[in-house]
Amino acid sequence: MREPLGHCHGEQVLAPVTPGLPVSAHSVLDVVPQLPGQSAAAALRETAEVARAADDLGYRRFWLGEQHGVRGVGSATPAVLAAVLAARTDRIRLGSGGALLTTHQPLVIAEQFAALAAAYPSRIDLGVGQQNGLVPSTAAALGGAAHETFPQRLDELCGFLRDGLPGRAPVGDVRLSLAGLPPPVFVLADHPGAAATAAVRGLPVFLAHHCAAATTPAAVAAYQDHFEASGPTVKPYLGVTVGVVAADSEEEAIIRFAEYVRVKTRLATASPRATPAELMELLEPPLTGRERGRAERLLDDPGHIVGSRTTVVSGLGSLVASTAADEIMLVPLAFDGLVRSAILRTIAAGLTRTIRTVPRHAPPLIATA
């Protein structure tokens, strides 16, 4: 008899949230932005400060997206980065958003996150997704498998993680290293098929609304229609990502958003052989007409919410109402770490009357380069 799928969770971390989704039902997705001329240590240090701010403000999770070969993005190794940030925060859950399961062998990912979960009990999440949008040279360097193998690899991953549960036998002759209480597994979905893959396995899902908003209604329906209760996830658990810029005024938020679009666009379109000095010069203002048009189009994209604290919090409420989301994952749209922290602080102030602060026990990053 085939064993039920989806028993990836060894602990209940998906408690229902109160109506209105307070700050504790919001999380953060970061990609370790790194501008030309900025050292790797400085970029990591800024992201650590953003994670610490999110921790102090009471956000639930801080995840790191896995991207390779993208100029201005430093989050190619979410397991390593989660370990670094977990050591420098006190409460917030750290994880991947998500590890590319079609790029890495499931056993490798299972062992990485099993070790993290052993080191930081009840603070590690494992979000997984498919390899998507890689340039051919980067895809070739990484290797990996076709998108169609994702469901099979997801089952393998969950099987390895179940090894750590009491009374479980290993998968075949393979035994998971440092097996213990496994981290919860989430599926990151940017289309209805991926949402259905999570649903039939009884796994929680985060929809990539910030980059695939057009597919969100169909993905929500696919998840709800196909969900099968399995393991501790006895009810559907749906998260939604959204890009955000919040400031003291509408005008300031739009200016910050336009700056983000300008830098991101120029980094993406610059010559692959451009030097850091050439890139720094290329990034200088002002905004071109084409960039302004792109920013205006993105402002109309439902995957982005830009404006004052009131505007953003209202937009988040509308997103919850339209998707029946249990959790919202914020993607702060800024390269500067101070700005990302300010965005999270502004939104938190609109979601709760009390900003959580805790005594700081975790050490700061040592690197100063």
Side-chain angles (χ1 to χ4, degrees), residues 96-124:
S96 55
L100 300 180
L101 197 51
T102 49
T103 298
H104 310 291
Q105 291 296 333
L107 177 60
V108 173
I109 294 179
E111 289 184 329
Q112 289 175 346
F113 282 84
L116 278 172
Y120 300 100
S122 301
R123 289 194 59 204
I124 299 300

Side-chain angles (χ1 to χ4, degrees), residues 310-334:
T310 301
T311 296
V312 173
V313 171
S314 175
L316 293 174
S318 297
L319 181 59
V320 171
S322 64
T323 60
D326 298 286
E327 184 173 342
I328 298 295
M329 182 164 281
L330 308 175
V331 184
L333 302 177

Side-chain angles (χ1 to χ4, degrees), residues 27-33 38 42-59 61-64 85 88-89 91-94 330-345 360 365:
S27 298
V28 182
L29 177 62
D30 197 277
V31 295
V32 193
Q38 184 182 34
L44 184 54
R45 185 167 61 249
E46 283 196 6
T47 296
E49 290 303 320
V50 178
R52 285 154 67 91
D55 191 17
D56 287 344
L57 292 166
Y59 286 94
R61 315 177 202 277
F62 192 93
W63 284 5
L64 299 137
L85 300 184
R88 288 157 177 84
T89 51
R91 175 205 60 89
I92 199 166
R93 300 184 67 91
L94 279 301
L330 308 175
V331 184
L333 302 177
F335 282 86
D336 189 299
L338 291 176
V339 175
R340 302 205 302 282
S341 294
I343 290 171
L344 297 180
R345 194 171 293 110
R360 178 58 59 192
L365 284 172

